[in-house]
Amino acid sequence: MSALPPEAHTYLRRATRLLLPRAQRAAHAELHAYLHGLMHDALVRGLPAGDAWPVALRAAGPVWPLALRLAAVHTLPPLRAALLVGAALGGAAYAVQAGGASAPALS
């Protein structure tokens, strides 16, 4: 396997920038393997080694739409779950507070 050129490192860093560290490592490794596959496909088609990486990066597509899709898959579900739990706990705390102030006295 050939070494990753600086443009590919930049692509990987930008594509995974919006992710949390654990998801960032996993997505980085998967995307790295995908880019190597695209580069090898370019080599098999007869391109010289110097041209294979630029072709692979173009085939992978623009980096920012990819970064947003990765963030939607890896970041938004945990964030949404945290917001829902926070809203539920806030609602429960409000109900307990309001219920305690207006509860009838037992005699």
Side-chain angles (χ1 to χ4, degrees):
M1 238 193 266
S2 66
L4 220 55
E7 311 85 59
H9 281 289
T10 301
Y11 187 92
L12 288 169
R13 190 177 61 252
R14 288 180 179 168
T16 58
R17 179 174 284 160
L18 302 175
L19 303 178
L20 299 172
R22 177 183 258 191
Q24 189 176 39
R25 286 188 298 273
H28 189 280
E30 186 174 345
L31 188 55
H32 184 174
Y34 175 67
L35 289 176
H36 264 286
L38 291 174
M39 187 271 304
H40 283 286
D41 289 346
L43 289 175
V44 167
R45 288 192 314 259
L47 288 174
D51 295 339
W53 275 110
V55 167
L57 292 172
R58 279 194 304 275
V63 73
W64 288 112
L66 174 61
L68 292 174
R69 286 192 307 270
L70 287 171
V73 169
H74 292 285
T75 304
L76 291 181
L79 180 62
R80 184 177 49 234
L83 288 173
L84 289 174
V85 167
L89 289 175
Y94 179 76
V96 166
Q97 183 183 14
S102 64
L106 295 175
S107 19

